[in-house]
Each structure stands twice: as C-alpha cells, then as structure tokens.
Amino acid sequence: MLFDHSTSSTLLIGESEDKPDRVHVRLNRPEVRNAIDQQMVDELHEVCAVLEKSPRIMIPSGTAGVFAPGADIAQLRERRREDALMGINSGIFVRIARLPMPVIAALDGYALGGGAELAYAADFRLGTPSLKIRNPETGLGILAAAGASWRLRELVGEPVAKGILLAGRVLGAEEARAVHLVTGIHPAEELLAAAHGLADRIGLQDPLAVRITKTVFHAPAEAHPMIDQLAQGILFESQA
C-alpha cells in the first residue's frame, strides 16, 4: 500500500493487492455533493505526487450518485484576481492529465463546472444513464477556466464545445456518448466494474509502452516525428 489511508478526509482511496496496477480515488464530500474545495485540491495533489513516483492507473469517481457539481461555491465567492491567477483548479487538472499512466473517470449523476473539467482531464470517461455534463460558468458571470475553454474543443469539436461553453448546453449520457465524450454507458451498479474492466485491458499492455505512448500522444505537433523516433528507440531497447 502506497497511501496513508488515515489522513485524507475529502477522498476515499482504494488499493487492492489483487490489482496493484491501479488506485481508485473516490471524491468524498457527500454533504456538499462532492464540491471541489481547496482541501480536496490539496489532497488530489498528494495523490498525484504518489502516482508520479509510482505510476499506476487512476480511477476517479464520485459518491452517492454524484461525481462533482463543480467548485465549492462558498469558497468560489471569496476568490479574487490573485486566486484566479494562481490557477487553483486548473493546476491540479493539468497534473492529473499528465499522470504517467491512464486516468479513467467513472461518472455518475452530475459532472458540472469544475467536476466536468476534472472529467475532461481524464484519458477515458465512462458514464451511467443519469449522467449530466455541463459547464454553467458563463451563466454565473465567470469563465470555465480550469481546462474546458481549450480541452473541450479537442475532445468534442468546436460546435459542440461552443454549445456547452457559450449556450449552456447540457449533455445527457447518450449525447455524451454520441460526441465521444464518454466511451461507454453502464448501470450505476456496474460502473466501477466497467472502469476496472478497462483498466484490466490497459494492464495487458506493456506498462512502459503505455506510459511513453501517452506522452507521445499529447506532444505538440512540432515535436513529431522526432519524439516518436526517440520514444521508439527507447522501447526497442526495453526488455519487453
């Protein structure tokens, strides 16, 4: 076990001796439907620090039928220019997106605002029939500034992204699957099993090849083809 399970209060961290290649990170603030506050951000940074040193698949999910409704409104109302410039939420979501091994978001119920942006940072998204994805920020007089304003276009294309960001479009589960934002819809009671099934398929691949392929995949266009050739050179010399 790599995590101190006695310290976190906003996350429930699941590790299994049977499946040592992954960690299940459950958002756990049921009293506010898993709203993302500063403590949760800090604890997610702690999780990332461990997974950067000991790469494993990460499966983030919610609790009580909700993934996350966004940032904690009480804290959001207190934030000012300096807080925005610090990139509190965007920083942790970028770090999650850059984790060495894939991230599989298991989405049940609402994934709104910052909760949606956390989902966008994952490599894979699985949902339930009750899933609702929305970025309501412009209706609240702010910007979806933790990744949606640029990452969402890459995921679903410009027309759909603008509908979500500028016109308040809400994506239900089937709509999210139609635009390939989620890759599968499963009953709530089967969602985590589906996420672990995907993790099992990833686990059949060579871990180093998965890590390097993820890095090359996200490299800027100008880095290709040189980064591909260098990465392949590394893999040609690996034991696998």
Side-chain angles (χ1 to χ4, degrees):
M1 297 296 179
L2 297 178
F3 292 92
D4 181 355
H5 296 269
S6 65
T7 59
S8 177
S9 61
T10 72
L11 305 175
L12 296 176
I13 300 174
E15 299 178 271
S16 170
E17 293 183 0
D18 296 333
K19 297 182 183 296
D21 63 340
R22 69 201 66 172
V23 58
H24 177 202
V25 179
R26 191 187 301 263
L27 310 184
N28 184 45
R29 298 187 71 214
E31 69 281 2
V32 288
R33 308 183 78 183
N34 300 330
I36 300 169
D37 68 347
Q38 183 66 59
Q39 183 176 350
M40 183 180 287
V41 169
D42 293 342
E43 291 177 3
L44 284 170
H45 275 296
E46 293 174 8
V47 170
C48 287
V50 173
L51 296 182
E52 288 160 355
K53 293 179 180 178
S54 301
R56 291 193 283 175
I57 297 165
M58 176 181 176
I59 303 176
S61 73
T63 48
V66 177
F67 183 66
D72 189 294
I73 294 297
Q75 289 189 1
L76 197 62
R77 285 174 174 158
E78 298 298 321
R79 291 180 181 173
R80 294 297 182 264
R81 177 178 56 196
E82 290 75 13
D83 300 297
L85 293 174
M86 288 174 60
I88 295 171
N89 285 1
S90 62
I92 184 56
F93 298 160
V94 165
R95 193 173 185 181
I96 289 171
R98 291 177 177 171
L99 284 173
M101 290 295 285
V103 178
I104 304 168
L107 309 173
D108 189 17
Y110 290 107
L112 310 179
E117 291 178 301
L118 171 54
Y120 303 156
D123 298 287
F124 303 93
R125 286 158 294 279
L126 304 177
T128 66
S130 67
L131 176 62
K132 301 291 182 187
I133 299 176
R134 184 186 180 199
N135 282 100
E137 285 86 351
T138 52
L140 302 172
I142 57 175
L143 165 72
S149 61
W150 55 274
R151 190 175 276 130
L152 190 54
R153 177 171 57 187
E154 298 178 356
L155 293 172
V156 299
E158 186 171 321
V160 176
K162 284 183 174 178
I164 294 169
L165 296 173
L166 305 181
R169 181 178 176 182
V170 180
L171 293 185
E174 290 296 342
E175 291 175 297
R177 180 164 61 179
V179 298
H180 307 294
L181 188 56
V182 300
T183 56
I185 301 172
H186 308 273
E189 64 273 15
E190 299 175 11
L191 179 63
L192 286 176
H196 282 289
L198 177 54
D200 288 341
R201 294 197 296 276
I202 295 169
L204 294 174
Q205 317 310 311
D206 175 60
L208 181 60
V210 170
R211 289 176 57 185
I212 291 181
T213 298
K214 178 176 175 178
T215 298
V216 171
F217 185 92
H218 288 291
E222 58 270 20
H224 301 281
M226 182 55 67
I227 190 173
D228 307 69
Q229 296 163 2
L230 292 172
Q232 191 74 297
I234 293 171
L235 290 172
F236 276 173
E237 299 296 324
S238 72
Q239 185 173 2

